[in-house]
Structures are given as C-alpha cells and as structure tokens.
Amino acid sequence: MCTIGVDFGTESGRVLLLGARTGEPLAVNVVPYASAVIDRELPGTGETLPTDWALQDPADWVTVLERGVPTVLRETGVDPADVVGLGVDFTSCTVLPVDAGGVPLCQHERWRARRHAWPKLWKHHAAQPVADRLNLIADERGEAFLSRYGGRISSEWYFPKLIEIWLEDRELYESCAAFVEATDWIVWHLTGHERRQRCTAAYKAMWSEQDGLPSPAYFEAAYPGFAHPAAKLGHEFLALGARAGGMVPERARALGLSESTAVAVGNVDSFVSVPGAGVSGPETFVTVIGTSICDMVLGTEEVRLPGITGVAYEGILPGLYGYEAGQVAVGDMLAWYVRTLGHGPEAYSQLEAQAGRYGPGETGLLALDWWNGNRSILADADLTGVLVGLTLHSRPEEVYRALLESIAYGNRRIMDNFTEHGVPLCQIVACGGIAERSPLTMQLIADISGRPVYVPGSREIPARGSALFGAVAAGVYPGIEAAVEATREPSAQTYRPDPTASRVYDRVYAVYRQLYETLGRSQVQLLHELKRIRTHDCTPNRPKESP
C-alpha cells in the first residue's frame, strides 16, 4: 500500500509517494507555480497591486496535482489501486472566495479583474489596519479569546482578510458563498465536498471547540454591519486525519488514481511537519525553515503566553495542546540579498562558505529579521528590517552572515518567550530547505540557542506528514501517533552548541534584545513612520520596479 502527500508551498508544490507501512519515500515531484507570488500586477489586467498585497492563482495548485501525481506513479510503476490515501497541506492563512459550487471567483469572467477575487497568500499584509482595529476593540472589550493568540490578531489571518474584502468590495463579498482556506478548497476540489478542519479554524479564524467563534457583538463593535462572522466560514470543523471522502471521478481520472482513494481533510504545512519529522511529544521545538519559519511546540497543558500566534487543543496532534509561533522573512530575506547583489542561485553556497570563515561577533554586524514584518512575538507587519554596525570595511559575506545570525537570534527570542512563561524546551528539530542545505545556519541556531539541533533523515517533511494523515484517513493506522511510531526515521544530522561560541553570542544577543525592544516596542513609531513615508507619501514618485 502507498499514500500520497501533497505540500503546497509559497512558490511550488511537492508530491510525495510514500510506502504506507514502511514510511519509505518512493518518489518526489516538484511542480513550480507558473504565477508564483502575484504581488506586482493583477493577471490579465496589468493593474498595479498596492503595497503589501500577495496573491496566488488556484490554477497553479491544480497543476501541481495533475502533473505531480501522475509523474510519481509513472516513475515508480505503482498501481493506482494500491494508493489508498492522499493528504494535503498548504501555507496558511491562504484564503480565497468561492461560489456555492466551490469555484474560485477569480475564475469567473465577471470577477477576474477584481483583485479581491483572487486567493490571498499568507504573506498578504494589506489587512494590517483591519487587524489593528480588531486588536483595539478586543482590548477595549476585554475579549477572553485574545489571550489564546498571544494578545494579538495578525493581519495574515482569516478575519482581517475577509473584512478587507467587506470594506473594499462589498459587491464581491456579497456574491461570495464561502471564504475558504486553500487547504480546504483543494480537498473540496478533489472530493466534491466542503470539509473544513479544525486546525486552521482554531489558529487562523479564532475558533475553539469550547467557545466557538468570537461573538457577533465583538465584530459589530469593531465594524458595524459585519455581525455574522460564520457566514462565510461555517460552524462545522473536522478533526485532523478525518476522511473527507473519496475522489470525484473526473478528478481521479485527471490524477490517474482510483475513486476510492481516501482524501484526508486538509492541514497546514508547518503543523504536518511535526508528525512528518517524527515528533510526538512535549519539550521539543520544531522549526520549519523555508521562505518563512513556523515554530511548533506540544504541551500537556494550556499556557496562554504572550507573543505566540496561537494555542489550540488537538490543533496539531491528538490529546495535546499545540502552540504556534514563527518568523516571517527567512528564505525570502536571503533571496532578496542575493538578488540585490545581482547574483544567481549558485551564490548561496559561495556566500555560506565565505560567511563561515568568521567567528562569533567578528563581523561587528547585527540584524533584526523584520524584512517582511514580525510574526512572533510582536505581531506587527509594519516593522521593517534593521542592519547595524556597518563600516567602510564591511563585506557582502559579513552582511550575509549577519542575516543568518538574525534568523538564529529571532529563533532564540521566540524560545525564550516559551521558557520564560513555563513551557520547557530541551531540543530543536529543524526541517525545511534551509535546514537541509545550510549547515552554517543550523550551527548558528545551536550556538545561539544553547540547544542541540536535529535535522530529520527524511526530506519533504510536510509532504511526508500529509501522506501519513492520508494513511490514517484510509484506515491504515488507527491514529497519527501510530503512523509516526511505525515510520519514524533517525536524524540525519545533529548540531551541538559550542560553549565558547555560545558565550560570545550571549553578549551579542543582549544587544539584540535591546534593539528588539526599542525598535519593536518603546520606539516602534520610528520604523512605522519610515514605512508610512515610503508607502503613502512617496508612492506616486516611486520608480517602477523591474521584474
């Protein structure tokens, strides 16, 4: 028996064919998105998108399935009848408006030229003013739900993006039958059934099994007239690993699979990485390092600590509380720097080798990794990147090392927030592209955190986790814990902290904490004003960026 996991990322999708009993990866196919991230012009119209917009094309997601699944079957010669389950995961919160039949509004000729008809990617931050308003009213009303999310609602989440549509394109909002997470939409596309799951509902739409959604009175206080929060979301959310259904005949034929293949309810790329990496218990900090970073922690108790992006019972694994935090700009930040230097993809390994020649603190540089705002623990999309300590002798590879170190400092800041509030962390499990390709970054995380870092032996960790949930939906395992135990692999690489390096980094980290608190809290207006000047006062005079 085999199972398939499909991991929909920011710029591509990955299809993994996995031995359902052995956990052996049989084939992987990576399918780039033709439109990638739509953040400059709206397709077909040439309309310039405003600052902080980030969209995607759902046709790219379908292409991943229709190209990737037949490819892995063809490469392995696996009989489609032997593929018993399929699971999917997505970046989140990536959401789109659809009609009653589940067709994305951007695929209707009537709506295609309206930018709010397109899926809003997780890093669409244009709804920050809405998030600010929701936070203000929640504080004023003393809303209890807010403490589950570290005291801050993020502009990346469900309701800021939905209310943005309600404010700016009421006609489209009224014509939208549902506003759905991309992970739930792809399941709808495959099975013909709308089956939403509790993971994104809990972490991105502020729902809990005990309390439901925030009250209509809260939303009415924030935005008079927006009084029915469940209207586009619904009320029913299934447990992770549940079977959403079999495949619609048309979809099964397009993918070369059997209609009886069990499709699991959707999930989030970071959360499926926990079982995908073989983690099933507390005191482990799981960090998925790619375009951005998502951090997950499991616990036996609920601690409503500040600065996290959510805690939910059984939001990641059954019987445990799942915590989420993360950093917004990681691979994106490094890619920006390489592009700015005018180099190609080959420059990463060269810069890493050059940066590795420097010791702790030797560059004299320090960066705050806010190139795309801050997710945890400040939850402020209007913060921007900071680089200090430059001199006439600073070199490109020194700046690159400072950016790598900023990733590790941000990582430690988040871990400190957990431990300072009574959630112990003994080790780090790191996965994702950067974990696999950048030993220097992994050693920096170990040295700066003072904890060992384990990189799993398996690759395509999110897709692996999704495939395991597919096996659970097919009844191969009674639950995800049994699937993890049966398929766990040893770590491929271990990075242990160097005590001498850690002592130096402790000194630099003390400076980092002061800059972090000053520019992120006490003097936050400084970076906010710079962004305001650039995006509002100077936008008409800004030269058009070259592609």
Side-chain angles (χ1 to χ4, degrees):
M1 290 186 295
C2 297
T3 182
I4 288 177
V6 189
D7 169 36
F8 293 89
T10 300
E11 296 186 346
S12 63
R14 289 163 169 75
V15 178
L16 171 68
L17 183 64
L18 192 75
R21 289 289 188 190
T22 65
E24 178 187 1
L26 304 176
V28 178
N29 187 249
V30 180
V31 182
Y33 299 153
S35 297
V37 178
I38 303 168
D39 56 4
R40 294 184 178 179
E41 294 183 351
L42 196 65
T45 70
E47 175 193 353
T48 300
L49 292 172
T51 300
D52 289 334
W53 274 65
L55 308 176
Q56 286 197 317
D57 187 342
D60 289 342
W61 308 333
V62 174
T63 299
V64 170
L65 292 171
E66 295 184 352
R67 185 183 302 170
V69 173
T71 297
V72 297
L73 293 176
R74 184 171 59 251
E75 288 180 356
T76 58
V78 165
D79 187 334
D82 290 333
V83 181
V84 295
L86 185 149
V88 302
D89 66 81
F90 253 90
T91 62
S92 181
C93 180
T94 298
V95 277
L96 66 157
V98 301
D99 66 15
V103 177
L105 292 193
C106 67
Q107 294 182 347
H108 287 277
E109 191 62 32
R110 177 186 177 189
W111 303 111
R112 192 164 178 80
R114 308 271 274 268
R115 60 180 184 246
H116 284 292
W118 292 74
K120 293 181 177 179
L121 185 58
W122 63 269
K123 64 177 181 175
H124 173 92
H125 288 149
Q128 184 63 47
V130 179
D132 291 341
R133 174 72 180 166
L134 291 174
N135 281 312
L136 174 66
I137 299 303
D139 282 335
E140 289 180 351
R141 290 170 56 87
E143 294 285 352
F145 75 85
L146 196 61
S147 62
R148 287 202 307 269
Y149 305 98
R152 294 282 294 175
I153 297 165
S154 169
S155 65
E156 296 180 11
W157 294 354
Y158 184 93
F159 282 109
K161 288 172 176 172
L162 178 61
I163 294 173
E164 182 187 29
I165 298 176
W166 184 80
L167 289 170
E168 298 183 7
D169 195 336
R170 190 67 58 86
E171 182 187 20
L172 187 142
Y173 175 88
E174 298 295 344
S175 298
C176 157
F179 195 56
V180 60
E181 283 270 0
T183 192
D184 295 328
W185 179 80
I186 207 75
V187 168
W188 193 346
H189 172 80
L190 289 170
T191 66
H193 303 295
E194 182 183 2
R195 297 286 187 265
R196 306 208 194 197
Q197 34 62 48
R198 61 179 56 188
C199 175
T200 54
Y203 290 98
K204 310 303 179 184
M206 302 178 291
W207 169 87
S208 77
E209 188 174 15
Q210 296 76 23
D211 304 322
L213 292 170
S215 71
Y218 160 67
F219 286 103
E220 178 72 25
Y223 288 98
F226 187 86
H228 303 286
K232 312 295 183 183
L233 177 67
H235 296 278
E236 184 178 355
F237 308 105
L238 301 179
L240 297 179
R243 185 181 186 273
M247 298 189 68
V248 173
E250 175 189 352
R251 311 298 183 215
R253 287 193 298 272
L255 273 59
L257 293 175
S258 166
E259 296 173 27
S260 63
T261 301
V263 179
V265 296
N267 211 318
V268 178
D269 55 352
S270 54
F271 297 146
V272 292
S273 297
V274 175
V279 175
S280 57
E283 298 193 12
T284 296
F285 188 80
V286 180
T287 182
V288 183
I289 311 177
T291 303
S292 64
I293 284 181
C294 253
D295 303 314
M296 286 71 59
V297 174
L298 300 171
T300 56
E301 299 179 353
E302 181 186 60
V303 179
R304 295 196 175 188
L305 62 157
I308 58 171
T309 51
V311 54
Y313 183 64
E314 297 190 337
I316 299 176
L317 290 180
L320 295 169
Y321 288 92
Y323 297 85
E324 181 194 13
Q327 296 162 258
V328 185
V330 184
D332 265 2
M333 177 177 64
L334 302 180
W336 160 82
Y337 186 64
V338 170
R339 287 197 310 269
T340 300
L341 292 178
H343 297 329
E346 71 285 348
Y348 289 102
S349 57
Q350 180 181 359
L351 283 168
E352 167 136 345
Q354 293 171 340
R357 297 172 188 153
Y358 294 89
E362 189 177 347
T363 67
L365 302 178
L366 179 61
L368 300 178
D369 63 317
W370 299 343
W371 262 246
N372 201 22
N374 177 280
R375 179 181 293 152
S376 302
I377 55 177
L378 301 171
D380 188 343
D382 286 331
L383 292 175
T384 49
V386 176
L387 178 63
V388 298
L390 289 164
T391 72
L392 295 175
H393 300 287
S394 298
R395 299 180 58 81
E397 59 269 24
E398 294 179 306
V399 174
Y400 190 75
R401 183 181 178 99
L403 296 180
L404 297 183
E405 290 174 344
S406 78
I407 297 168
Y409 288 128
N411 175 276
R412 175 171 171 178
R413 180 69 189 93
I414 293 169
M415 294 186 73
D416 283 355
N417 189 52
F418 277 100
T419 58
E420 288 166 3
H421 290 89
V423 180
L425 298 170
C426 298
Q427 62 183 5
I428 300 170
V429 172
C431 50
I434 291 177
E436 297 165 3
R437 294 191 297 268
S438 178
L440 176 57
T441 303
M442 295 301 97
Q443 189 60 53
L444 289 172
I445 289 176
D447 290 341
I448 290 172
S449 71
R451 296 174 176 86
V453 177
Y454 302 96
V455 178
S458 302
R459 297 202 170 192
E460 310 299 345
I461 294 294
R464 182 182 181 85
S466 286
L468 293 179
F469 274 111
V472 173
V476 178
Y477 298 101
I480 190 64
E481 309 95 326
V484 171
E485 290 300 319
T487 60
R488 182 185 287 119
E489 293 185 346
S491 298
Q493 189 66 257
T494 299
Y495 300 87
R496 301 196 179 279
D498 179 334
T500 302
S502 294
R503 284 193 291 271
V504 178
Y505 283 126
D506 284 345
R507 295 176 59 192
V508 183
Y509 180 67
V511 179
Y512 173 91
R513 282 291 296 263
Q514 291 184 57
L515 280 172
Y516 187 101
E517 295 299 322
T518 300
L519 294 176
R521 296 188 196 273
S522 62
Q523 299 293 324
V524 69
Q525 74 276 6
L526 298 177
L527 293 180
H528 284 182
E529 179 65 6
L530 285 175
K531 183 173 181 179
R532 190 177 300 112
I533 293 169
R534 175 176 64 86
T535 58
H536 297 292
D537 300 347
C538 298
T539 298
N541 301 319
R542 191 193 316 166
K544 187 177 180 66
E545 296 180 21
S546 59

